[in-house]
Every structure is written in structure tokens, then in C-alpha cells.
Amino acid sequence: MKQLKSNNINSKEIAMRVSIISIIVNIILSLGKLAAGIIANSGAMISDAIHSASDVFSTFIVIIGVSISNRKADDNHQYGHERLECVASIILAVILFITGIGIGFEGVKKILEVDNNKLQVPGLMALIAAVVSIIVKEWMYWFTKSAAEKINSGALMADAWHHRSDSLSSVGAFIGIFGARMGYPVLDSVASVGICIFIVKASYEIFIESINKMVDKSCDINTVQKMKDIIKSQSGVIEIDDIKTRIFGSKIYVDIEISADGSLTLEEGHKIAKGVHDAIEMNFSEVKHCMVHVNPAEENSLNCTL
């Protein structure tokens, strides 16, 4: 139990550190892109700046979600608070979706009202800002993704994809600005529509993944197979009768039924179950709880192992 508490504290510290860095970088980047967009007359860059600014708000949601999900179990929440991190991820997905639709709407509006003679060609500063944004946001994506995988945080992973969608939107902005400077001003607005598609797609993927964690989705086939291999390797296990897994926020619950020699004493059967329990929790750090039930092996199964 002490080890679990220590892991929770460590996970929270990692998430907080990454989130603070993310907030600082996004504030600087969004202000820089907004200034570049205004000075260089680029609608795509201004849209990109708004997207970066939304990242700041989303990171605050990550901080709140991770903080609450790491609270210890209490009388009203005896299985813990991990699912509240999924709620944070869903909120992030909705923010991403709204941001993307808003950017796309403005882009379509400008295209429909286009008058190439009145459109202003974006300046070189907007192009430079797009390149800087792509480099910085792609670095933030890998930095946050690495931390999310290390602590198995869905909310932090959603924030990582927020960074990736910002990087992709900057690629769209770069293409639009470059095209506009090459003599096709309307491409600046077309790029905003492309940005919309990237953002909406990312929001959908984050939303679906979060919902799966909220409705007790089972682990993937490879993970379950690895668990079975470990269970079968434990002394005294004759057969795996059943195994069920469910994802609970960032954690996994496992229910296992195994067969053992029915002539064993209760203490010996308990020792086998404990060995399976400890092996699963030792090899899968994301497993929060593992329940093992021992059945007496059928005579045929027992004969096969002798």
C-alpha cells in the first residue's frame, strides 16, 4: 500500500512538472504567433495562435484532473478516483472540437467571401512563426507523450495530442501562408479549414479513448496474453479457467480464476493464489487490483499434468 501511495505521488509530480512547462511554453508561443499573425496579416497564423492559447486552458484541466484522480480511496469512493482523469480527457476533447469547428467556420466564411484583389498577402514573419511553432509543438508532443506513457495518464496523453494537433495546424498554416505569398492569397483561409479537420480528428480520438476507459473496456489482446503466460508459469497452476480485465481510468482491474489440485489444503491453495496475484502486480505496474479465485481441477485436467 505504501508503494502504491509512493507511485501516485511520483505520478502527480511528473504530471505537474510537465503541465507547468507546457503552460509557460504555450503562453509564450501563442503571444508570439498572435503578434506575428497581426503584423504579417495572416488569418491562418492568428487561428493557430488561438489554438495554442486553448492549450493553456486545457493544461489547467489536466492539472485538476490528475490532482483529483490521485486522491486516496475514501468511504464514498472505495475504488479510488482514477476515472475523474477520464472526465478531464473528455473535457479536453470537447474543447479541441469546439476550437476546431470555430477555426473551420471562420476559414469557410472567408473563402465564400473571397475577393483576391482585397486579400492581403501574409508577410514573411508569419512564415517564420509557423516554422518555429512546428518545431516547438512537435517537441512538446514527444515530451508530454513520454511522460504520459511513463505514468499511464490519459489526461496527459490527451494534452500531448493537443500539442500534436497544434503542430499539425502550424503545418497547415505554413502551407497556407507560403501559398498566399506565392500568389494565391485564398490558400491562407483554406489552411484554416485544413487545421479544423486535424483538430476535430484529434478530439474524436481522445473522446473515444476516454469513453472506453469510463465503461470498463477490457485490455488489448496482447496484454491479456502476457498475463496468461505469467499465470501459467506460476507453481501449482494447472489451468486458467477465466480471466477478465477492465480499464478503470489509468489503472487496470483483473479477475482471475485458476484450477489447482483439489486435494491441496486451504493454506496451500492460498499460497498459489498469492503467487499469481503478486506476479501480475509485479509485472504490470498499471494493475491496481488483482483478484484470484482457485477452483479444484477436474480429474481429467489433473491427470494431464501428472
Side-chain angles (χ1 to χ4, degrees), residues 15-268:
M16 293 302 110
R17 185 175 70 251
V18 172
S19 296
I20 290 172
I21 292 173
S22 178
I23 289 172
I24 294 172
V25 171
N26 277 321
I27 288 176
I28 295 173
L29 194 61
S30 59
L31 289 175
K33 288 198 287 189
L34 180 62
I38 293 173
I39 295 171
N41 298 311
S42 172
M45 184 49 59
I46 293 174
S47 296
D48 206 20
I50 295 171
H51 187 198
S52 293
S54 73
D55 283 357
V56 177
F57 178 63
S58 70
T59 303
F60 276 114
I61 294 176
V62 171
I63 291 174
I64 295 172
V66 171
S67 297
I68 296 176
S69 68
N70 275 278
R71 288 180 181 174
K72 294 188 293 183
D74 53 42
D75 291 338
N76 293 323
H77 306 89
Q78 296 179 352
Y79 289 92
H81 301 77
E82 280 85 2
R83 275 185 176 156
L84 289 175
E85 189 175 332
C86 296
V87 175
S89 298
I90 291 172
I91 294 173
L92 287 179
V94 172
I95 292 172
L96 266 174
F97 180 81
I98 294 173
T99 301
I101 293 298
I103 291 173
F105 177 79
E106 287 301 316
V108 171
K109 184 179 177 182
K110 288 181 179 179
I111 292 172
L112 294 176
E113 298 174 352
V114 68
D115 183 346
N116 284 298
N117 294 323
K118 294 181 179 179
L119 287 175
Q120 292 180 304
V121 176
L124 182 60
M125 184 181 292
L127 203 62
I128 295 173
V131 174
V132 171
S133 177
I134 292 169
I135 295 172
V136 173
K137 296 303 292 188
E138 191 63 18
W139 172 78
M140 283 301 299
Y141 164 73
W142 288 106
F143 175 67
T144 308
K145 181 175 181 288
S146 175
E149 290 175 343
K150 184 175 182 180
I151 64 175
N152 193 30
S153 171
L156 205 59
M157 184 61 77
D159 206 32
W161 276 104
H162 210 149
H163 292 310
R164 167 54 67 84
S165 68
D166 205 4
S167 174
L168 292 173
S169 73
S170 293
V171 171
F174 176 86
I175 294 172
I177 294 166
F178 183 78
R181 288 179 58 80
M182 292 297 291
Y184 303 96
V186 70
L187 287 181
D188 190 51
S189 299
V190 172
S192 294
V193 177
I195 291 170
C196 163
I197 295 172
F198 281 126
I199 297 173
V200 169
K201 181 178 180 294
S203 68
Y204 171 78
E205 291 173 349
I206 293 169
F207 181 81
I208 293 299
E209 182 180 356
S210 301
I211 290 296
N212 284 336
K213 289 182 178 181
M214 291 283 282
V215 296
D216 290 341
K217 184 179 184 293
S218 60
C219 294
D220 61 89
I221 296 175
N222 290 334
T223 299
V224 174
Q225 186 57 53
K226 288 178 183 177
M227 288 182 178
K228 287 182 178 180
D229 293 339
I230 290 172
I231 295 169
K232 289 177 181 178
S233 69
Q234 300 308 303
S235 176
V237 176
I238 294 175
E239 192 175 341
I240 300 174
D241 296 333
D242 192 21
I243 178 170
K244 293 185 178 72
T245 62
R246 60 189 178 97
I247 300 173
F248 187 88
S250 60
K251 300 297 182 180
I252 297 174
Y253 281 74
V254 187
D255 294 315
I256 303 166
E257 287 189 30
I258 58 173
S259 292
D261 186 346
S263 65
L264 296 175
T265 64
L266 177 61
E267 184 176 350
E268 290 171 329

